[in-house]
Amino acid sequence: EVQLLESGGGLVQPGGPLRLSCVASGFTFSSSAMSWVRQAPGKGLEWVSGISDSGDSAYFAESVKGRFTISRDNFRNTLYLQMSSLRAEDTAIYYCAKATDFLNYFDYWGQGTLVTVSS
Amino acid sequence: DIQMTQSPSSVSASVGSRVTITCRASQGISSWLAWYQQKPGKAPKLLIYAASRLQSGVPSRFGGSGSGTDFTLTISSLQPEDFATYYCQQAYSFPRTFGGGTKVEIK
């Protein structure tokens, strides 16, 4: 059974950093591209970032480019999202998602972790 | 970025009825489109990919069609468990983008 378990969310002050983690199991993590998708309270879905299976290629939404970094540890089956210079508009549930093919579609999702940016 | 526009934003329908949701891309995306279902407090679930291919385990009452800029998701006979919000997503280019969502409510 595919499982994705996010952690690291919480309350952070504007301008602060936060690192999210997503531990994967039930599939060959090192062969799967992965993404982060977020959802602000009461709003729709926003793709944030994606990374290739090897970690060689990464892509970002314009809204987070230069502030967020995505990485992965294929030995620990773990995906990361390092967030810096956080803003109130980054407040959202952050979902880790397994991608089909090359970051085309998202066939498995974690339960999400809530990030709240507020003073 | 490619903008994805869904309509309607909400629809009220009865159990057993046919429901159609539309998604329009701001430029041609061939068949690089997916549909997701999200229930309150839950993560999204992939229903359809490549515009018309049913994801494994998804009931056959869900169907997708379209190519280029105009796409539809059809639920042929609405069931109680189908009341949810539905999103389209393009996979033609980065950044991946989602539509604003269509909430299917009980009539």
Side-chain angles (χ1 to χ4, degrees):
Chain A
E1 179 192 6
V2 171
Q3 290 194 329
L4 299 167
L5 186 61
E6 302 97 335
S7 62
L11 176 64
V12 60
Q13 291 195 335
L18 200 64
R19 188 177 83 157
L20 306 183
S21 300
C22 171
V23 177
S25 61
F27 65 100
T28 306
F29 181 75
S30 59
S31 298
S32 297
M34 300 291 294
S35 266
W36 290 96
V37 178
R38 69 185 181 184
Q39 187 169 35
K43 302 298 184 182
L45 301 171
E46 180 187 15
W47 180 84
V48 173
S49 181
I51 188 168
S52 63
D53 53 1
S54 64
D56 288 348
S57 300
Y59 302 85
F60 298 90
E62 201 60 41
S63 58
V64 306
K65 201 173 288 186
R67 300 187 300 122
F68 289 12
T69 301
I70 189 171
S71 62
R72 62 191 297 159
D73 184 335
N74 284 347
F75 293 102
R76 291 185 168 83
N77 286 358
T78 303
L79 176 72
Y80 302 101
L81 186 68
Q82 179 70 51
M83 304 183 292
S84 61
S85 303
L86 282 162
R87 307 165 180 166
E89 54 265 36
D90 296 317
T91 295
I93 296 172
Y94 284 73
Y95 293 103
C96 162
K98 172 185 169 295
T100 67
D101 305 327
F102 183 62
L103 290 168
N104 291 333
Y105 310 113
F106 310 110
D107 54 355
Y108 292 95
W109 298 62
Q111 85 291 345
T113 188
L114 177 62
V115 173
T116 303
V117 184
S118 175
S119 55
Chain B
D1 298 4
I2 297 175
Q3 309 303 315
M4 307 300 292
T5 303
Q6 285 183 236
S7 61
S9 56
S10 66
V11 57
S12 294
S14 302
V15 171
S17 63
R18 183 183 185 90
V19 172
T20 298
I21 298 168
T22 296
C23 178
R24 175 164 289 175
S26 61
Q27 66 184 75
I29 61 171
S30 186
S31 296
W32 294 101
L33 186 102
W35 290 97
Y36 299 84
Q37 175 193 68
Q38 187 180 33
K39 296 181 179 179
K42 300 295 186 182
K45 173 186 175 183
L46 178 64
L47 299 176
I48 302 278
Y49 65 98
S52 61
R53 297 188 178 188
L54 201 63
Q55 174 69 354
S56 175
V58 174
S60 59
R61 62 181 180 272
F62 290 94
S65 64
S67 66
T69 60
D70 295 316
F71 302 85
T72 58
L73 172 70
T74 300
I75 309 172
S76 60
S77 177
L78 198 65
Q79 298 302 299
E81 59 268 31
D82 301 337
F83 292 96
T85 300
Y86 294 84
Y87 295 93
C88 60
Q89 174 242 319
Q90 64 82 16
Y92 182 80
S93 66
F94 289 104
R96 304 306 191 214
T97 45
F98 290 86
T102 296
K103 187 174 184 178
V104 177
E105 299 174 300
I106 301 172
K107 188 172 185 178

